Amino acid sequence: MFRIRTALLATLASASVVAVTACNASGEDTTAKPAPGTGASSEVALADFKVGTARANSAPDNTGDFAAPGTDPTDWVELDAGSASALNPVVLNAKGFVLYRFDKDSTKPPTSNCNGDCAKTWPPVTLKPGGKIFLNGVDRDAVGFLKRQDGSTQITLGGWALYRFSGDAQPGQTKGQGVGGTWFGVTPDGGKTQASPTGTDQATGVDYKTGTAKENGADMTAGDNFKGQRTDDAAMKWIQLTRGSAGGLNPIVNDGAGMTLYRFDKDSAKPPTSTCNGDCATKWPPVFVKPGSRIFVNGVSTATVGIVTRADGRRQVTIGGWPVYRFSGDSKPGDVKGQGVGGTWFAVSPTGTKVTAQPAAPPAAPTSAPATDVRLGNGSATIDSGKNFTEPNGSAGVRGPGCVAVPLPQLAVSIVLVGGPVKLWKGPNCTGESAVITGSVADLGTIGFEKQVASIRFGDK
């Protein structure tokens, strides 16, 4: 059946590159492959990317990051941007354990040099083919994969292989940080994490703290949780800036109550300026602070956070120079009803850029070349029920090898292709009228196949 998905299916291939398998006359695979443990995965496998936490996506207990000791944890992995101890931002798994990178690895090509006893001390973060990756505050574009010496597939960020540290016995521990001068917590873009600057900004009188408000013992009836006017002193006691996701948007910034924060295109960042006043500020309440307020940074770099003085003299938080706001139409945590309003309001990213819905993939012009002229690829495809890779009635993922049936052909309106070319068929079991496509097609109607793709021919094994 077609299902609703929050992120595209993608292949487990470094830098999102999928090789087309070539075969000789006897059917033997002749595609060149990198040496084990020294480069991108040559395996064409399907990973299911989901926006949000594993819990929010109802991941089963005792699986993935929650797996009991001695059981296989490779069903799924969560990459969650946040903070741990003084480190911020840093990537953690679903249980709150810090993930690390190793300076003796490399990114060009992505390579793990931690094997044997090293891999016992620093267990690699691996995923089995078809596994899920939950992204919460980590950009899909930063995620990649490599093939290890033992044949397993290891997840990378910014090309750097990811590991846990066996010495971290509890969530939030950072005992692996700086070990041997080569091991460091990993940032959401693959960099080395470090302690986040804290203390009082002498220019504004605002106090910065790493971690969440609750972790720092803040008054949980005040600040972001205050139920009265946002201009009340109690409301301005503290603000929490958390890197995360909501409504399929990722990465974005939420406050301590889980409410989405926004930016306004008619403002400016250079210099920081707010142009939302009067009725606008009633509909889009600015995030106010005052001298003595605390800002808790949880996955958001302190270096991106600032303060701007508004026309009415109040002080407003900025990210990347952009003033930030809440939306009065968002009634509960996770709402993103302000997204795209008027074509000028957007969720704000951890660096201050505006977050827009991520496109599926750029369309590629289909080719009508006969199958005999094209060597088919053993990749994967996502069939969407709307044009331009939208999914008003859901989507379905299929993968090779060979001829594969498409669930509910009458809902096939666009197709995201990875690892093509492939041949589309209007009949079951790869029969009837056909067409070869070499890339994604935003509107199957342009090639006469809208709501008519019954089967797809991929390359053979």
Side-chain angles (χ1 to χ4, degrees), residues 151-443:
S152 62
T153 300
Q154 185 170 5
I155 299 175
T156 65
L157 272 180
W160 290 97
L162 300 184
Y163 306 83
R164 272 194 52 197
F165 179 46
S166 61
D168 286 345
Q170 301 293 330
Q173 290 186 339
T174 59
K175 295 181 180 180
Q177 178 71 2
V179 168
T182 56
W183 289 93
F184 298 91
V186 66
T187 66
D189 59 2
K192 301 179 190 179
T193 192
Q194 57 186 345
S196 184
T198 59
T200 301
D201 183 330
Q202 296 303 313
T204 64
V206 174
D207 191 30
Y208 290 84
K209 298 287 185 182
T210 299
T212 67
K214 185 175 182 180
E215 290 169 346
N216 282 280
D219 180 354
M220 299 309 289
T221 65
D224 293 343
N225 294 329
F226 187 69
K227 302 303 181 183
Q229 295 293 319
R230 301 313 307 175
T231 54
D232 192 284
D233 283 351
M236 291 187 282
K237 287 187 69 173
W238 59 265
I239 169 73
Q240 179 178 312
L241 302 176
T242 291
R243 182 176 182 136
S245 59
L249 302 177
N250 177 67
I252 66 172
V253 180
N254 305 303
D255 72 8
M259 305 303 290
T260 301
L261 300 183
Y262 298 89
R263 47 160 278 181
F264 185 33
D265 279 357
K266 294 182 180 180
D267 288 348
S268 69
K270 295 180 180 180
T273 306
S274 170
T275 61
C276 180
N277 301 287
D279 290 342
C280 175
T282 299
K283 186 175 182 179
W284 300 90
V287 177
F288 291 123
V289 289
K290 63 177 185 176
S293 294
R294 285 186 170 184
I295 297 180
F296 300 105
V297 285
N298 183 41
V300 177
S301 174
T302 306
T304 68
V305 183
I307 308 295
V308 63
T309 300
R310 294 169 50 80
D312 60 7
R314 293 191 176 98
R315 298 183 181 189
Q316 184 176 0
V317 174
T318 65
I319 299 178
W322 288 93
V324 294
Y325 307 80
R326 299 178 180 90
F327 179 47
S328 60
D330 287 346
S331 59
K332 63 182 183 302
D335 278 353
V336 290
K337 296 178 182 178
Q339 179 69 6
V341 169
T344 56
W345 289 92
F346 298 91
V348 65
S349 81
T351 58
T353 60
K354 59 183 176 183
V355 178
T356 57
Q358 298 178 3
T367 175
S368 58
T372 54
D373 294 339
V374 178
R375 185 170 289 147
L376 300 181
N378 184 4
S380 64
T382 301
I383 300 94
D384 289 319
S385 56
K387 293 179 182 180
N388 299 313
F389 317 115
T390 58
E391 43 182 352
N393 296 302
S395 63
V398 296
R399 59 165 298 180
C403 183
V404 179
V406 172
L408 301 178
Q410 65 272 25
L411 294 182
V413 178
S414 59
I415 184 170
V416 178
L417 178 62
V418 182
V422 298
K423 191 174 186 182
L424 308 181
W425 297 83
K426 290 187 177 181
N429 302 314
C430 295
T431 60
E433 186 179 345
S434 65
V436 172
I437 61 172
T438 60
S440 302
V441 181
D443 181 1

